[in-house]
Amino acid sequence: MHKDPAITESYFSEERDMYLRTAMLPFALLCLATSCFAFSCKQSPGALVQIDVGAGQVFGVNSDDDIFTWYGQEWHQVTGKLTHVTVGSAGVWGVNTHNQIYKLVAGDWTNVPGVLKQIDAGGDQFVAGVNKENSPYCLLKKNTIGYTQASDSANWVQLPGAMKYYSCGPISCWGVNHNDEIYVRKGVFPNACSGDVDWQHISGSLSMIEVGSDGSVYGVNSNGDIYQRSSVSCDLPEGESWNQVPVFAGQAKHVSYDLGHLWVVLKSGDIHDCTK
């Protein structure tokens, strides 16, 4: 992995803008159901403990809390220390070992009021996450897109219930609790990120879950097996069933999906880019 202090917010903005112009399908197409296909995987150099992909970008952190981004077929180190990093239409966000929240602004990490242990920027220009008490929160578009300095407001909305991991996409948000039980929250919008009043329980058991930029849902169970939710659509945000992805059975730790690429971090730290 290469340290590259020249990485700036302008680069990320250009990448995000290009993604929005040329790669993101019209929202109507996002409503098409997803299905499980065979994947071909290629190992990437280095080792990570967590990875997140979105808006055509890839970010991850290693066991030393170092931050990396993938471009030009190699990893480049980003200044700073984080335990969890996320990228999406709301930008690049992260949390550190003290549960402090940061957003990447003009190449620098700008502190955002609040405390979270896990964060996700995959929603439609809003951010979500959970704190150390497993309370889920979300931050509206008006606070995410325009946040540029520490004095800006950040009015986090607390959601009912308790989740240890919470991830959002264009049509729904998904979470898992301390018992690895799975829940979906529907009716989420940029200016109404809390969604419906009630959580919908989904059968199955996962230790982490991620929603892709196209609304597809992937997760890893406590055994290290990867699953994809079938038939997720605008009409059926909860999908129909879980299909096991036939790669790295018993070895996976973390997954994230964007633009046909399923990125997998194994328990060993090895990184794999899997494509359909």
Side-chain angles (χ1 to χ4, degrees):
M1 295 184 177
H2 300 271
K3 186 171 184 179
D4 190 350
I7 295 175
T8 64
E9 177 68 8
S10 62
Y11 164 76
F12 300 126
S13 297
E14 291 171 3
E15 288 288 300
R16 187 162 59 247
D17 291 345
M18 182 176 294
Y19 168 80
L20 293 172
R21 289 195 305 267
T22 64
M24 181 174 282
L25 295 173
F27 184 76
L29 293 182
L30 297 181
C31 300
L32 295 175
T34 61
S35 57
C36 188
F37 298 92
F39 283 91
S40 174
C41 300
K42 177 182 178 182
Q43 185 171 356
S44 297
L48 296 173
V49 296
Q50 181 259 329
I51 196 166
D52 195 64
V53 297
Q57 300 174 67
V58 182
F59 278 81
V61 295
N62 66 13
S63 58
D64 293 322
D65 298 346
D66 296 322
I67 313 158
F68 295 88
T69 186
W70 176 263
Y71 71 92
Q73 298 303 303
E74 61 183 359
W75 293 102
H76 297 259
Q77 189 171 353
V78 180
T79 302
K81 294 279 188 178
L82 295 174
T83 56
H84 196 106
V85 66
T86 182
V87 57
S89 59
V92 184
W93 296 65
V95 295
N96 66 13
T97 188
H98 302 295
N99 297 327
Q100 295 169 316
I101 307 167
Y102 291 88
K103 180 187 179 184
L104 191 64
V105 179
D108 294 319
W109 293 103
T110 300
N111 183 239
V112 179
V115 287
L116 295 174
K117 67 176 182 179
Q118 176 262 326
I119 192 166
D120 186 89
D124 186 4
Q125 296 185 318
F126 66 87
V127 172
V130 298
N131 66 13
K132 62 181 181 180
E133 285 81 29
N134 290 338
S135 297
Y137 287 83
C138 65
L139 189 63
L140 299 173
K141 172 185 175 181
K142 65 180 182 180
N143 292 137
T144 62
I145 299 301
Y147 196 93
T148 59
Q149 54 188 356
S151 60
D152 289 343
S153 61
N155 300 312
W156 291 94
V157 179
Q158 184 173 358
L159 310 179
M163 296 289 155
K164 68 176 181 180
Y165 202 103
Y166 190 50
S167 177
C168 295
I171 58 175
S172 61
C173 294
W174 292 68
V176 294
N177 65 15
H178 70 285
N179 293 319
D180 288 355
E181 295 170 326
I182 309 165
Y183 291 85
V184 63
R185 199 163 187 84
K186 298 181 283 189
V188 293
F189 299 98
N191 296 314
C193 60
S194 57
D196 293 346
V197 175
D198 298 319
W199 295 93
Q200 180 177 341
H201 179 251
I202 303 295
S203 62
S205 177
L206 294 173
S207 57
M208 65 81 58
I209 197 164
E210 280 284 341
V211 186
S213 56
D214 62 353
S216 58
V217 181
Y218 288 86
V220 179
N221 67 10
S222 59
N223 187 54
D225 303 318
I226 305 170
Y227 286 86
Q228 180 189 9
R229 189 69 177 173
S230 69
S231 304
V232 174
S233 68
C234 281
D235 294 330
L236 193 68
E238 67 272 25
E240 291 184 346
S241 62
W242 294 106
N243 294 322
Q244 185 171 354
V245 179
V247 295
F248 306 115
Q251 303 177 63
K253 178 181 181 180
H254 201 97
V255 295
S256 190
Y257 180 84
D258 181 49
L259 297 177
H261 291 256
L262 177 67
W263 287 81
V264 182
V265 172
L266 303 186
K267 297 174 184 178
S268 64
D270 289 346
I271 312 158
H272 292 264
D273 176 13
C274 303
T275 55
K276 293 180 179 180

